[in-house]
């Protein structure tokens, strides 16, 4: 969905999540093996997630509404 934005991408220390909806959600960041490396709550459609502890590489993310519906998925590049 284009209603959710994840930026910057590629990112180095923090990634921002914004939405045109004013609703709470969650973001899950997974490594390429599918292991969860981050899980954060998104309050009112906006959040910032620290990623400076992740190693350089490609990650997958999934944003879900509190009803469990997948709102957006994508790839996230992490650079040092």
């Amino acid at each position: 969905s284009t209603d959710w934005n994840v930026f910057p991408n590629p990112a180095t220390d923090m990634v921002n999540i914004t939405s045109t909806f004013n609703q709470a959600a969650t973001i899950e960041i997974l490594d390429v093996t599918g292991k969860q490396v981050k899980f954060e709550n998104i309050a009112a459609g906006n959040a910032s997630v620290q990623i400076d502890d992740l190693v350089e590489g490609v990650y997958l993310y999934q944003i879900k509404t509190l009803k469990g519906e997948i709102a957006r998925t994508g790839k996230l590049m992490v650079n040092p």
Side-chain angles (χ1 to χ4, degrees), residues 6-18:
V6 178
F7 63 95
N9 192 5
T12 55
D13 59 349
M14 183 175 294
V15 66
N16 300 299
I17 300 105
T18 61

Side-chain angles (χ1 to χ4, degrees), residues 4-70:
W4 289 89
N5 296 304
V6 178
F7 63 95
N9 192 5
T12 55
D13 59 349
M14 183 175 294
V15 66
N16 300 299
I17 300 105
T18 61
S19 174
T20 57
F21 299 114
N22 190 20
Q23 68 178 2
T26 61
I27 184 168
E28 180 181 26
I29 301 176
L30 311 166
D31 66 15
V32 292
T33 68
K35 179 183 173 190
Q36 179 181 300
V37 295
K38 290 278 182 181
F39 183 88
E40 297 284 337
N41 291 313
I42 302 169
N46 294 292
S48 294
V49 179
Q50 286 293 133
I51 58 165
D52 55 354
D53 59 334
L54 299 180
V55 296
E56 179 180 5
V58 178
Y59 294 83
L60 306 173
Y61 67 84
Q62 188 173 74
I63 297 172
K64 290 185 181 178
T65 67
L66 295 184
K67 294 179 182 179
E69 300 165 340
I70 296 173

